[in-house]
Amino acid sequence: MTDRKYLLTREQIAACVAKDLEDGWLVNLGIGMPTLIPSYIPSDYDIMFHSENGVVGMGPPPLPGEEELDLISAGKGLVTLIPGGAYVNHIDSFAIARGGRLDCAVLGAFQVAANGDLCNWRLPQQKSGSVGGAMDIAAGAKRVYVMMTHTTREGDSKIISERTYPLTAGGVVSKVYTDMAIISVEANELILEAVAPGITPEDVQSATGAHLNIENSQEIKLNL
Amino acid sequence: MTDRKYLLTREQIAACVAKDLEDGWLVNLGIGMPTLIPSYIPSDYDIMFHSENGVVGMGPPPLPGEEELDLISAGKGLVTLIPGGAYVNHIDSFAIARGGRLDCAVLGAFQVAANGDLCNWRLPQQKSGSVGGAMDIAAGAKRVYVMMTHTTREGDSKIISERTYPLTAGGVVSKVYTDMAIISVEANELILEAVAPGITPEDVQSATGAHLNIENSQEIKLNL
Amino acid sequence: MKNKRAQSLEDAVKIVKDGATVLIGGFGPPGVPEILIDGICDNKIKNLTIVTNNAGTDRSGVARLMDEGCVSKLICTFPWAKESFVFKELYDAGKLQLEIVPQGTLAERMRTAGAGLGGFLTPTAVGTDLAEGKQIHKVNGTDYILELPLRGDVALIKALKADKRGNLIYNKSARNFNPIMAMAADQTIVEVSEEVEIDELDPEVIITPSVFVDSYFVTGHYEVGKGSKQT
Amino acid sequence: MKNKRAQSLEDAVKIVKDGATVLIGGFGPPGVPEILIDGICDNKIKNLTIVTNNAGTDRSGVARLMDEGCVSKLICTFPWAKESFVFKELYDAGKLQLEIVPQGTLAERMRTAGAGLGGFLTPTAVGTDLAEGKQIHKVNGTDYILELPLRGDVALIKALKADKRGNLIYNKSARNFNPIMAMAADQTIVEVSEEVEIDELDPEVIITPSVFVDSYFVTGHYEVGKGSKQT
């Protein structure tokens, strides 16, 4: 197993994703790790965040004294609305999600398969799961980026040739950001785009349960 | 053919329909003759009118000087909004119509068949018709009342055993108001409820292209 | 004009009977009609099928309803959350049936019922466990699941204000499922903090027109669900 | 922030190309984006498929578009009206294809496209000529028609105001199809009388959120369609 000191922190992974979000995009962030991303968006960028519970233009958590208990994120933390944001009902919120208006959704995952299959709603040993809006968002977003640790706590790879966990949406993931690497999901192969400093492409391959094309991988440049 | 002097006027038919609309109902009025109905609703009744173009709580035409060109009825005449009325988009307007929220729709018709089939959107000799919202409203309203002349200008009955015109909605009409009579459409037969003063039940039967149960018919009481 | 204002909480919820399917608004604490729910608990109603996004927060709202044994089945999207421990206890003890529905599909199934439609085709959940037993239709080469309408006997929703005709406006993200559920039940009961005169709500800003509201109960104050967090 | 304000009428409508499917808002004169339509006429665009409720009023708006030979097909609900004489001339001369769609179905087909769904089942038009060639599905013993999404390359809509992000509000019954069409096209262009600052529209009253708007053209005055009647 790779030495943990070389693994990216959650904040560093978030910064990597943030760098790839484009000015003007409408983005949905899954609960958990993806909620760290907004801090790393360049301040001159206009990226709008969509929250499934009907918030178009979700802003950061409120300042002390300005909390509105009726304004929450999908993860149920208190948030704010940016100027020019709007409230919509659940039907319109999911018309946005399913209808291809999300330029990108950044979601957590249990597994990503080489064909882009996303598994993030239920572990196989669980009787049931919590799907929330994940299946709608994953099916409808123009791009699905995944943000996760490269392996499970037990050291098993979360990136594998064929999924073994229950499916969320088939063939939707286009990019995976982990604590070891950034990997693109192409039609026929997984491309290793970049690796964390101190980790080699071969390290990533050996921690991955699917073949990677490592020919052109770069080193991730960290500013933090 | 029946002597025209005994036929009800359009206003008298409208008054007959108005008498059967219940306090508290939400009602959709078709274009043409049904638009005469609101004048005959008792002033202490609270009947809301729905217009397919997104007006919930349509009021009478505006007073001179108070016209709003952006506030029209389905027939495209200028109207007003009653206090407590609301504007909705076309999706919500037809959710109201199709979703069973209309207590009654009063529509014009070319033909009504003994089984309640409604024909009102296209004449057989026309290459095409103007359906508007008629099919949605007829399919969705809790009750469909028809208001029309009893016969065509050529003297053919508009109430017949089986329709010969293109269908708008099957088996939906529950009551028919004409210039000769009021007829209920029951599961197995047409019941002659009432006849215009000066006209006999037999007159109505002979002007009708379907069997009527005339046993208990009353005379229509006119106040105008 | 029909007076839709319920004279008491008991009066407001008395149409909720044993065995009913009840749609309950809210996403997390915002928009959950907790006071109406308390009224149902007090009536000791049994055997309800509840349709709502979450599985309750702490011991209030939907969690209380389950805790008091009123619920036999829950249709929701996100049951497994730390704050839904009441649900977990009951489910693990085999005392509660569970149906998981993707969130967009849940909203759309209710709207479909409200709009008088017979079903819809969605790409959501194709190929997943949640598609099991459902018809697949191909349109232009793409697979879709046929989803059917989901209608409530009663909808319990929460709004910010009602005018005396029953038109509603909501507050921020407490809007969520509430306007959809208002359309999708035989009877819609609203919990509002304030009743205003019939002319006080601008007809351009009304979110739920009065035709979808059967009665409303005025609480006199607006309170977000007791489970709300400040973080 | 992206500047969505078109600098000229020409600029606003330049993405409408020959052969495009164009959704045009309005029901009768209210809500018809007549100035945007004039821009398309000026560009001498050909072969458009137009989706709109009516078949034009007098010689302005959609009637002018047909009159100038820009339209090869009309998808609408109510073509035969006295004021739609331009349509009648062209249709009788065999110069225009016509597809009649029931009004609720037309709205729902566009919403279905905008919501990323694959179709819906409706009771409307079952057993009629307008069901010809369409699949029938039985749900719980009732027949429904399977209707498919209707998407535009472009939507031309009219609103009262836009804020600088592109959020929209409408005026009275001029709302009609406009918010639905805004969702249902690859590009949505808005004709507005007024642009306001980004904070001037209350987020609770925005009818079309900015994410559905690609560009807007500010006319500086609000005018109802030239065909409006005072009766």
Side-chain angles (χ1 to χ4, degrees):
Chain A
M1 202 179 156
T2 310
D3 193 333
R4 290 201 70 84
K5 75 182 172 190
Y6 295 113
L7 296 178
L8 300 183
T9 63
R10 292 153 56 97
E11 287 73 18
Q12 287 169 328
I13 308 173
C16 290
V17 180
K19 207 178 289 180
D20 287 354
L21 301 181
E22 294 180 21
D23 192 20
W25 275 9
L26 179 68
V27 176
N28 182 289
L29 301 178
I31 58 180
M33 251 201 266
T35 60
L36 298 170
I37 292 172
S39 312
Y40 302 99
I41 305 279
S43 61
D44 60 333
Y45 267 38
D46 180 52
I47 290 181
M48 276 187 99
F49 294 102
H50 163 262
S51 187
E52 64 192 22
N53 53 322
V55 185
V56 184
M58 182 173 60
L63 297 173
E66 295 179 4
E67 296 87 355
E68 293 276 4
L69 296 182
D70 264 346
L71 181 43
I72 66 169
S73 66
K76 296 170 201 149
L78 295 185
V79 294
T80 51
L81 190 75
I82 63 165
Y87 301 111
V88 297
N89 66 32
H90 251 78
I91 282 294
D92 289 344
S93 181
F94 280 85
I96 290 171
R98 221 192 288 98
R101 297 281 168 176
L102 294 174
D103 295 292
C104 186
V106 187
L107 306 173
F110 299 141
Q111 279 190 343
V112 174
N115 68 348
D117 280 2
L118 172 68
C119 305
N120 74 350
W121 80 280
R122 181 164 83 82
L123 292 169
Q125 66 272 24
Q126 292 173 324
K127 275 181 293 189
S128 170
S130 280
V131 67
M135 286 188 184
D136 304 278
I137 292 164
K142 285 183 198 158
R143 300 166 187 84
V144 176
Y145 291 177
V146 161
M147 187 177 168
M148 63 182 185
T149 56
H150 205 92
T151 59
T152 64
R153 281 179 210 167
E154 294 73 32
D156 296 328
S157 179
K158 292 185 178 177
I159 302 170
I160 50 176
S161 325
E162 283 186 38
R163 68 177 174 86
T164 58
Y165 283 12
L167 183 68
T168 299
V172 297
V173 178
S174 59
K175 227 157 171 190
V176 183
Y177 298 79
T178 75
D179 44 6
M180 295 186 80
I182 301 172
I183 294 168
S184 286
V185 182
E186 303 286 335
N188 302 309
E189 59 182 354
L190 298 173
I191 313 278
L192 182 63
E193 300 282 351
V195 297
I199 292 179
T200 66
E202 291 72 20
D203 290 337
V204 179
Q205 176 64 79
S206 75
T208 303
H211 176 75
L212 301 176
N213 177 337
I214 62 173
E215 278 171 34
N216 294 304
S217 70
Q218 313 277 317
E219 181 169 294
I220 293 172
K221 281 182 190 52
L222 296 174
N223 297 320
L224 38 132
Chain B
M1 199 178 153
T2 311
D3 193 332
R4 290 204 67 85
K5 76 181 174 194
Y6 294 114
L7 296 179
L8 300 184
T9 63
R10 293 154 54 96
E11 287 73 16
Q12 287 169 329
I13 309 174
C16 290
V17 180
K19 206 178 291 183
D20 287 354
L21 300 183
E22 295 181 20
D23 191 20
W25 276 10
L26 179 68
V27 176
N28 182 290
L29 302 178
I31 58 181
M33 248 200 265
T35 60
L36 299 170
I37 292 171
S39 312
Y40 302 99
I41 305 279
S43 60
D44 61 332
Y45 267 38
D46 179 52
I47 289 182
M48 275 188 102
F49 294 103
H50 163 262
S51 187
E52 65 191 23
N53 54 324
V55 186
V56 184
M58 183 171 63
L63 297 172
E66 296 180 3
E67 297 87 355
E68 292 276 3
L69 297 183
D70 264 347
L71 182 42
I72 66 170
S73 67
K76 296 172 202 144
L78 294 185
V79 293
T80 50
L81 189 76
I82 65 164
Y87 301 112
V88 298
N89 67 31
H90 251 78
I91 282 293
D92 289 344
S93 181
F94 279 85
I96 290 171
R98 219 193 289 98
R101 297 282 169 176
L102 294 173
D103 295 293
C104 185
V106 187
L107 306 174
F110 300 139
Q111 279 189 343
V112 173
N115 68 349
D117 279 2
L118 171 68
C119 304
N120 74 349
W121 79 282
R122 181 164 83 80
L123 291 168
Q125 65 271 22
Q126 292 173 326
K127 274 182 294 188
S128 171
S130 279
V131 68
M135 286 189 185
D136 303 278
I137 292 164
K142 284 183 199 160
R143 302 166 185 84
V144 176
Y145 292 176
V146 160
M147 185 176 169
M148 63 180 185
T149 57
H150 206 92
T151 58
T152 65
R153 280 178 211 166
E154 294 73 32
D156 296 328
S157 179
K158 293 183 177 177
I159 302 170
I160 51 178
S161 327
E162 283 186 37
R163 68 177 174 85
T164 58
Y165 283 12
L167 183 68
T168 300
V172 297
V173 178
S174 59
K175 226 157 172 190
V176 184
Y177 299 79
T178 76
D179 44 6
M180 296 185 79
I182 302 172
I183 295 169
S184 286
V185 182
E186 302 285 336
N188 303 310
E189 58 181 356
L190 297 173
I191 314 278
L192 182 64
E193 300 283 350
V195 298
I199 292 180
T200 66
E202 292 72 20
D203 290 337
V204 179
Q205 177 63 78
S206 75
T208 303
H211 174 76
L212 300 176
N213 178 336
I214 62 173
E215 278 172 34
N216 294 303
S217 70
Q218 313 278 317
E219 181 169 294
I220 293 171
K221 282 181 190 51
L222 295 173
N223 298 320
L224 36 133
Chain C
M1 199 175 74
K2 190 189 164 195
N3 184 0
K4 295 181 179 176
R5 180 172 180 162
Q7 294 310 304
S8 66
L9 178 57
E10 204 185 331
D11 207 38
V13 300
K14 68 174 180 230
I15 57 157
V16 180
K17 307 288 187 198
D18 287 358
T21 295
V22 182
L23 317 179
I24 301 183
F27 178 105
V32 177
E34 295 208 353
I35 293 168
L36 295 181
I37 292 171
D38 285 344
I40 292 170
C41 291
D42 294 346
N43 281 355
K44 310 228 172 295
I45 300 300
K46 298 288 169 205
N47 240 341
L48 299 176
T49 293
I50 299 297
V51 183
T52 192
N53 189 69
N54 298 96
T57 299
D58 298 339
R59 292 201 181 267
S60 71
V62 174
R64 182 181 169 203
L65 201 60
M66 293 186 291
D67 209 12
E68 303 226 356
C70 306
V71 184
S72 58
K73 182 175 179 182
L74 180 66
I75 300 177
C76 75
T77 87
F78 205 90
W80 305 103
K82 265 202 318 274
E83 66 270 22
S84 302
F85 53 83
V86 168
F87 160 78
K88 184 175 186 311
E89 283 165 27
L90 291 168
Y91 182 79
D92 287 347
K95 292 183 178 165
L96 210 50
Q97 288 181 67
L98 174 66
E99 181 180 340
I100 304 277
V101 181
Q103 200 170 144
T105 298
L106 186 68
E108 202 67 45
R109 286 183 62 192
M110 290 188 279
R111 198 198 71 91
T112 296
L117 299 171
F120 63 95
L121 300 179
T122 181
T124 300
V126 168
T128 75
D129 297 352
L130 297 185
E132 267 171 33
K134 296 185 174 171
Q135 284 183 45
I136 301 291
H137 286 267
K138 211 181 265 298
V139 178
N140 295 327
T142 303
D143 282 345
Y144 294 92
I145 296 174
L146 174 63
E147 289 283 357
L148 301 181
L150 178 56
R151 193 172 179 86
D153 296 307
V154 181
L156 304 179
I157 67 168
K158 183 177 182 178
L160 181 64
K161 294 182 187 182
D163 71 17
K164 285 188 171 169
R165 198 176 268 287
N167 292 296
L168 305 179
I169 60 170
Y170 299 88
N171 190 44
K172 301 190 168 62
S173 75
R175 187 185 300 188
N176 57 62
F177 283 94
N178 285 299
I180 311 308
M181 290 175 170
M183 302 169 60
D186 293 344
Q187 295 281 329
T188 293
I189 313 171
V190 192
E191 173 181 322
V192 289
S193 57
E194 193 185 346
E195 179 193 57
V196 299
E197 291 304 316
I198 207 167
D199 256 353
E200 282 184 55
L201 298 184
D202 179 349
E204 299 282 6
V205 314
I206 288 166
I207 301 297
T208 295
S210 60
V211 297
F212 294 120
V213 172
D214 295 284
S215 75
Y216 56 88
F217 176 69
V218 182
T219 61
H221 65 287
Y222 192 84
E223 190 184 332
V224 184
K226 302 175 188 81
S228 289
K229 303 184 281 184
Q230 299 264 347
T231 54
Chain D
M1 198 174 78
K2 191 188 165 193
N3 183 0
K4 295 180 179 176
R5 179 172 181 162
Q7 294 309 304
S8 67
L9 178 55
E10 207 186 329
D11 207 38
V13 299
K14 69 175 182 228
I15 57 156
V16 180
K17 306 289 188 199
D18 287 358
T21 294
V22 182
L23 317 179
I24 300 184
F27 178 103
V32 178
E34 295 209 353
I35 293 168
L36 294 181
I37 292 171
D38 286 345
I40 293 169
C41 291
D42 294 346
N43 281 353
K44 310 227 173 296
I45 299 301
K46 298 287 169 206
N47 239 341
L48 298 177
T49 293
I50 298 296
V51 182
T52 191
N53 189 68
N54 300 96
T57 300
D58 298 339
R59 292 200 181 269
S60 71
V62 173
R64 182 181 168 205
L65 201 61
M66 294 186 290
D67 210 12
E68 303 228 354
C70 306
V71 184
S72 57
K73 181 174 180 182
L74 180 66
I75 301 177
C76 75
T77 86
F78 205 89
W80 306 103
K82 266 203 317 276
E83 67 271 22
S84 301
F85 52 83
V86 169
F87 160 78
K88 184 176 186 312
E89 282 165 29
L90 290 168
Y91 181 80
D92 287 347
K95 291 182 178 165
L96 208 51
Q97 289 181 65
L98 174 66
E99 181 181 340
I100 305 277
V101 182
Q103 200 169 143
T105 298
L106 186 68
E108 202 67 44
R109 286 182 62 192
M110 291 188 281
R111 198 198 72 89
T112 296
L117 299 171
F120 63 94
L121 301 179
T122 181
T124 300
V126 167
T128 75
D129 297 353
L130 297 184
E132 268 171 32
K134 294 184 174 171
Q135 283 183 47
I136 301 289
H137 286 266
K138 209 181 268 297
V139 177
N140 295 329
T142 303
D143 282 344
Y144 294 93
I145 297 173
L146 174 63
E147 290 283 357
L148 301 181
L150 177 55
R151 192 172 179 84
D153 296 307
V154 181
L156 304 179
I157 67 166
K158 184 178 182 178
L160 181 62
K161 294 182 186 181
D163 72 17
K164 285 189 170 169
R165 197 175 268 288
N167 292 297
L168 305 178
I169 61 169
Y170 300 87
N171 189 44
K172 300 188 167 63
S173 75
R175 186 184 301 189
N176 57 60
F177 282 95
N178 285 299
I180 311 308
M181 290 176 170
M183 300 169 61
D186 292 343
Q187 294 282 328
T188 293
I189 313 171
V190 192
E191 173 181 323
V192 289
S193 57
E194 193 185 345
E195 179 193 58
V196 300
E197 291 303 318
I198 207 168
D199 256 353
E200 282 185 54
L201 299 183
D202 179 350
E204 299 282 5
V205 314
I206 288 166
I207 302 297
T208 295
S210 61
V211 297
F212 293 120
V213 172
D214 295 284
S215 74
Y216 57 88
F217 176 68
V218 182
T219 62
H221 64 285
Y222 192 85
E223 191 186 330
V224 184
K226 302 175 188 82
S228 289
K229 306 184 280 187
Q230 298 265 345
T231 54

